Amino acid sequence: MTSIIKALPTEVVHLIAAGEVIDSLAAVVRELVENSLDSGATRIIISVCPQNWWVRVADNGCGMSLDDLQQAARGHSTSKMASCDDLWKVNSLGFRGEALHSLTTLAKVEILSRPARLSNKLSIESNGWQVIYSYGGKPEKVEAVALAPGTIVSVTNIFGDNTIRRQGLPTMAKQLKAIQVLIQQFALCHPQVHWQVWQDKKEWFGIYPTASMKQLLPQILHKVRTSDLQEITLKLPIPHKSLNLVIGLPNYYHRHSPDWIKVALNGRIINIPELEHTILSSFDRKLPRNRYPVCFLHLHLAPEQINWNRNPTKTKVYLHKLSYWQDQVSEAIEKALYINSDNFPESIHTTRVSKLIKAVEISDKYKTPQESSKKENFNIHSLTAVAQVNNTYIVAEHPEGIWLVEQHIAHERVLYEQLCERWQVTAIEPAIILYQLSAQQVEQLDRIGLDIDSFGENMWAVRSIPAILKEREDCGEALLELSQGGDLQTAQVSVACRSAIRNGTPLTIERMQVLLDQWQRTHNPRTCPHGRPIYLALEESALARFFRRHWVIGKSHGI
């Protein structure tokens, strides 16, 4: 069988950035798993024996012929590129041809492999081959073995010839945690793969294959449910490919730290601080204070859009047109946060209800002329106000059941978005006189665009105010609140909160309906600007289960 693994030409080697240093058990696992994924494996088994400094990775990938096995561990030997031009067309996780060679310099390496096919024919080789490598990657022992198609790589006595290096490594507990995180990240990027991880010959954990990242994430974050998440895929114009995004819905799930803001590029978790900042900014005023989103972004791009070879660590890459991708990410998150039948929680879907809500979406009677041209902002829910509870909660009928909407924070979301779009400052007569303001308070009112000047000793005249406050009797108190600090956005939140309908205020059915219609047209109807959830959905299917309507069938029982 013709070998497909070949040594790179000298001119290519000179252009390749130095590879990552293998400095831990996790680094060994990373290099071997990347090779397994590049081989097309759909099942990968990782075994580690920390005390024996031993790692084994087995897969059901395409396997290697004997010729390839004899070449695989030599320096800069790879099947993934052949010329300088290939450096700008990297479609694989590995490409430098250094991983196996580096491993042979610090451990004992053994590979068993059997190719699934001979060339492009359907015939399968009757046996596999076992190769043990000496220092530097030269085959030391070659033997035929019975083996299923795929590859098994065993690396033993890691750093065995350098005890000082072993002593300088992180604790074994930290190394095992790093392996766990590594496998979880690979699984998110490759949800179609079945993962099994063993430690000291005992099953440690497993991750089962799923059709999407959204379905896989609960296997990693055990407190999150699929219905807490939303996933969307945007097809991008050529030469780009697609953007895949899964987020925790802010009214259902968020975290104490930004540890689950992750970005992947073509199958690998990477570090792009600019995109991570874009994600955080997109959730601003949608989460409670000091809470952070769950967001996994996976960009699938044409290889010419990326420079993987710019830095030795492949987690740091150069991405062309970064500002374009920031805009795409912001748009994707906005679409994911908007409430419609496509991103409604799975737990409340039934066949009948799905058809009903689809009918609502295409019905013109729920659209206004202004909204017809703006797809994301039409009234798709057909919420009908039916009652008010404790002068606080609006009870609304929905095609899928009953919704409870807190009137104050729903109105706060409406006013906040209106203020962001149309922040207006209007002159007033007479001026409002404020007393005992500090220099910082005066500066703050001036910063948000209000006209303020001295009116005597320890007195200031405010001659313009946010238009929405003009008719309020507590305008002076509102101005003192605005003077306490923060940027314009903070001021807009404060004004919206103060101006919104108070809980405890009785509303007519007509006023409730107007508020529901306004709220549904907001860009982010799930939470208020402080991050509190605005509504509670009681789905029809859950009500049916609670009242056991499916237990009895017959006209005499009122069904």
Side-chain angles (χ1 to χ4, degrees):
M1 180 177 180
T2 304
S3 174
I4 61 173
I5 296 179
K6 300 181 183 297
L8 290 172
T10 303
E11 63 270 17
V12 179
V13 173
H14 288 166
L15 289 175
I16 289 179
E20 292 183 80
V21 176
I22 297 176
D23 56 3
S24 63
L25 293 182
V28 176
V29 172
R30 179 193 64 229
E31 297 293 344
L32 298 183
V33 166
E34 286 185 354
N35 283 342
S36 293
L37 291 170
D38 282 340
S39 74
T42 59
R43 184 182 185 91
I44 301 176
I45 303 172
I46 300 102
S47 304
V48 294
C49 288
Q51 302 305 321
N52 296 329
W53 295 87
W54 173 78
V55 170
R56 183 178 68 192
V57 174
D59 65 59
N60 66 345
C62 64
M64 291 181 281
S65 68
L66 177 58
D67 289 341
D68 285 335
L69 283 170
Q70 291 177 325
Q71 183 66 33
R74 297 183 185 273
H76 292 295
S77 292
T78 179
S79 62
K80 300 163 188 176
M81 68 166 52
S83 67
C84 297
D85 291 341
D86 292 338
L87 275 174
W88 315 109
K89 296 182 290 187
V90 175
N91 280 305
S92 53
L93 295 174
F95 60 87
R96 294 168 178 151
E98 293 181 272
L100 292 175
H101 177 73
S102 297
L103 287 173
T104 64
T105 66
L106 55 86
K108 181 179 179 181
V109 177
E110 173 190 88
I111 302 180
L112 289 80
S113 190
R114 174 185 171 189
R117 297 172 184 270
L118 275 174
S119 299
N120 294 321
K121 299 177 182 179
L122 295 178
S123 58
I124 298 177
E125 286 194 4
S126 59
N127 61 268
W129 296 93
Q130 176 194 40
V131 178
I132 298 176
Y133 300 89
S134 63
Y135 184 93
K138 183 178 180 180
E140 185 177 72
K141 177 183 177 182
V142 178
E143 189 173 69
V145 293
L147 188 71
T151 300
I152 303 173
V153 183
S154 299
V155 185
T156 57
N157 196 29
I158 301 170
F159 308 126
D161 295 332
N162 194 334
T163 55
I164 296 178
R165 191 172 181 184
R166 277 188 181 179
Q167 293 170 358
L169 296 177
T171 64
M172 197 55 69
K174 290 183 178 180
Q175 292 198 62
L176 289 173
K177 179 63 177 178
I179 292 173
Q180 182 182 30
V181 170
L182 180 74
I183 299 305
Q184 290 173 346
Q185 292 179 346
F186 274 127
L188 277 173
C189 296
H190 306 271
Q192 76 284 357
V193 176
H194 186 184
W195 304 83
Q196 287 180 288
V197 187
W198 294 69
Q199 179 188 341
D200 293 327
K201 299 183 180 180
K202 296 180 181 179
E203 189 167 8
W204 181 9
F205 67 93
I207 301 176
Y208 297 98
T210 61
S212 67
M213 300 186 306
K214 174 182 175 180
Q215 295 171 334
L216 186 136
L217 195 55
Q219 295 187 59
I220 300 173
L221 290 175
H222 299 299
K223 292 184 179 180
V224 72
R225 300 171 298 177
T226 304
S227 57
D228 297 334
L229 305 170
Q230 175 56 34
E231 182 173 6
I232 65 170
T233 299
L234 299 183
K235 298 296 183 182
L236 303 174
I238 298 174
H240 315 307
K241 291 186 178 180
S242 65
L243 180 157
N244 197 212
L245 176 80
V246 59
I247 63 169
L249 296 172
N251 50 332
Y252 289 116
Y253 192 79
H254 35 74
R255 294 177 69 81
H256 288 289
S257 65
D259 59 333
W260 265 93
I261 299 174
K262 300 184 184 296
V263 178
L265 180 60
N266 290 6
R268 187 201 309 275
I269 297 287
I270 58 170
N271 178 24
I272 301 185
E274 295 86 353
L275 290 184
E276 293 171 9
H277 178 73
T278 297
I279 293 170
L280 277 174
S281 299
S282 298
F283 280 89
D284 194 29
R285 298 299 175 185
K286 301 176 184 68
L287 294 171
R289 182 178 298 178
N290 298 325
R291 300 292 292 187
Y292 298 89
V294 169
C295 181
F296 180 62
L297 168 69
H298 197 167
L299 297 173
H300 302 273
L301 309 185
E304 57 267 21
Q305 300 293 314
I306 315 159
N307 185 348
W308 288 107
N309 195 46
R310 189 164 182 168
N311 191 289
T313 166
K314 296 170 190 169
T315 58
K316 296 180 181 179
V317 300
Y318 179 77
L319 188 62
H320 300 287
K321 299 180 181 179
L322 182 58
S323 60
Y324 170 82
W325 296 114
Q326 290 176 297
D327 292 342
Q328 293 299 313
V329 170
S330 296
E331 181 182 343
I333 292 175
E334 182 176 349
K335 288 183 178 179
L337 290 174
Y338 190 71
I339 303 174
N340 59 39
S341 65
D342 292 330
N343 67 16
F344 212 66
E346 292 177 355
S347 61
I348 65 175
H349 268 278
T350 64
T351 302
R352 180 172 61 83
V353 167
S354 295
K355 291 180 179 178
L356 181 58
I357 199 168
K358 288 292 185 183
V360 172
E361 287 184 355
I362 62 175
S363 173
D364 286 336
K365 77 174 184 176
Y366 295 113
K367 301 180 186 178
T368 66
Q370 294 84 358
E371 293 163 350
S372 296
S373 62
K374 198 170 184 180
K375 182 179 179 181
E376 71 271 18
N377 278 348
F378 59 74
N379 182 355
I380 59 171
H381 294 304
S382 185
L383 285 178
T384 303
V386 295
Q388 187 185 30
V389 177
N390 292 338
N391 291 333
T392 297
Y393 305 102
I394 299 173
V395 181
E397 185 180 5
H398 183 277
E400 292 183 345
I402 297 173
W403 284 28
L404 294 178
V405 180
E406 191 191 305
Q407 62 193 37
H408 170 70
I409 56 178
H411 195 210
E412 184 180 344
R413 168 54 69 183
V414 171
L415 294 178
Y416 171 67
E417 293 197 6
Q418 290 176 350
L419 288 170
C420 289
E421 294 174 1
R422 304 185 301 274
W423 176 252
Q424 294 180 339
V425 174
T426 184
I428 55 171
E429 186 65 39
I432 296 175
I433 307 301
L434 300 179
Y435 302 87
Q436 304 293 332
L437 294 182
S438 67
Q440 290 78 12
Q441 287 177 292
V442 175
E443 182 181 351
Q444 168 65 14
L445 293 176
D446 181 69
R447 184 184 302 117
I448 63 175
L450 307 189
D451 183 7
I452 180 172
D453 54 46
S454 178
F455 196 68
E457 187 176 356
N458 291 326
M459 299 171 63
W460 284 265
V462 181
R463 305 186 188 280
S464 65
I465 62 173
I468 197 172
L469 295 177
K470 191 171 183 179
E471 304 302 323
R472 295 189 63 89
E473 296 180 358
D474 60 350
C475 192
E477 290 85 346
L479 291 175
L480 288 175
E481 186 177 319
L482 291 177
S483 73
Q484 297 304 314
D487 56 11
L488 177 59
Q489 190 179 59
T490 302
Q492 291 166 339
V493 172
S494 179
V495 171
C497 184
R498 178 173 285 275
S499 305
I501 298 168
R502 292 281 181 258
N503 286 332
T505 303
L507 302 176
T508 64
I509 291 292
E510 291 76 15
R511 181 67 186 91
M512 287 188 277
Q513 188 63 53
V514 169
L515 176 55
L516 289 176
D517 292 343
Q518 291 175 332
W519 166 62
Q520 289 176 100
R521 287 193 291 268
T522 59
H523 294 291
N524 299 291
R526 297 182 183 277
T527 57
C528 77
H530 301 98
R532 293 169 55 199
I534 294 175
Y535 70 95
L536 171 65
L538 302 175
E539 62 271 18
E540 190 272 343
S541 58
L543 294 172
R545 287 194 300 272
F546 180 80
F547 289 107
R548 304 177 182 176
R549 291 212 308 270
H550 60 291
W551 282 28
V552 187
I553 299 177
K555 294 182 180 179
S556 62
H557 293 85
I559 302 301

